[in-house]
Amino acid sequence: MAQYGKTAYWDERYTKDPEPFDWYQRYSGVRDLIAQYIKKEDNILVAGCGNSRLSEDLYEDGYSSIANIDISRVVIDQMTDKYKEKPALTWQQMNVCSLEFPDESYDAVIGKATMDAVLCGEGSTANIAKMCSEVSRVLNGSGVFFIVSYGVPDNRLNYLENDDYAWTVTVHTVPKPTVSATAVPDTKDANSVHYVYVCQKGAGAGVAE
């Protein structure tokens, strides 16, 4: 697992295997939840974009302003080339723990598996604090940090429910994609779901589902 925290691992992975890959969930699995919290005209940052189809799917679904960052220069170059006909999608090499954007420049930040990858690296606790602090800084006063994770609430909420960010955190579960269409996932079983943590700035009390 530790390799997921290393830039060199991602550069090598994307060099060897440039095919699109979606961690955990495709857009279809989280589409309704995204629509619940993020508006089509919002300024969106996808942090740790990799070569997921998420940004393309958001764009095709009517979201009009999507910036993408990843720590891997290799994948950013690949995606810049792949989507050069779609100027609404921008691509920059950047570390989510040290964002190069002005304060309050985004309405929403989406991190699919990004938090989990950061937690795999050295100094993970400090880096998660930096990531959350930076995301909070670049979100506007009513902004949303939308996190898709395999981590259970007992573990992840320790990092997110922090007075420094004053976020209202709402937890949702989404069924893991199943190979067999006949399998009905039991959402009470942690092994059959992924968790979506929605961290809202300036919100009232959140209601978990």
Side-chain angles (χ1 to χ4, degrees):
M1 295 286 282
Q3 73 267 25
Y4 294 146
K6 295 189 170 80
T7 309
Y9 164 80
W10 294 109
D11 282 346
E12 184 181 351
R13 178 186 173 116
Y14 293 126
T15 301
K16 280 187 187 161
D17 186 11
E19 287 304 304
F21 184 82
D22 266 298
W23 291 86
Y24 306 166
Q25 294 280 333
R26 291 199 172 96
Y27 175 59
S28 56
V30 290
R31 177 178 185 261
D32 292 346
L33 275 179
I34 288 176
Q36 194 174 323
Y37 293 100
I38 303 174
K39 296 191 288 292
K40 295 283 170 79
E41 64 274 13
D42 278 352
N43 217 6
I44 299 168
L45 173 65
V46 177
C49 59
N51 57 11
S52 157
R53 288 197 177 91
L54 175 67
S55 298
E56 177 186 0
D57 290 341
L58 283 165
Y59 173 79
E60 298 295 344
D61 205 20
Y63 293 86
S64 53
S65 173
I66 306 163
N68 299 272
I69 62 165
D70 198 278
I71 203 165
S72 168
R73 161 66 58 197
V74 173
V75 82
I76 287 297
D77 287 347
Q78 288 172 353
M79 299 297 268
T80 300
D81 185 59
K82 180 176 180 179
Y83 293 109
K84 54 182 181 283
E85 305 300 321
K86 294 187 167 72
L89 302 177
T90 62
W91 310 90
Q92 288 175 269
Q93 182 192 23
M94 203 177 294
N95 186 337
V96 69
C97 302
S98 179
L99 297 175
E100 299 159 30
F101 300 114
D103 294 357
E104 301 201 3
S105 42
Y106 290 97
D107 301 296
V109 175
I110 299 175
K112 186 155 72 79
T114 309
M115 182 177 187
D116 300 344
V118 173
L119 281 169
C120 290
E122 291 177 23
S124 58
T125 303
N127 284 331
I128 284 293
K130 287 180 193 167
M131 178 189 84
C132 290
S133 174
E134 282 291 271
V135 168
S136 181
R137 181 183 66 76
V138 303
L139 281 173
N140 63 27
S142 58
V144 171
F145 187 16
F146 189 98
I147 300 165
V148 184
S149 171
Y150 69 77
V152 297
D154 283 352
N155 180 301
R156 295 298 184 260
L157 290 176
N158 295 338
Y159 300 108
L160 300 174
E161 290 183 334
N162 184 311
D163 291 344
D164 290 350
Y165 327 124
W167 288 334
T168 299
V169 185
T170 309
V171 184
H172 299 272
T173 55
V174 287
K176 285 185 179 175
T178 50
V179 178
S180 163
T182 57
V184 179
D186 171 17
T187 51
K188 297 292 181 282
D189 172 11
N191 295 322
S192 69
V193 300
H194 289 124
Y195 295 89
V196 176
Y197 298 95
V198 183
C199 310
Q200 295 172 280
K201 286 176 80 170
V207 180
E209 285 186 6

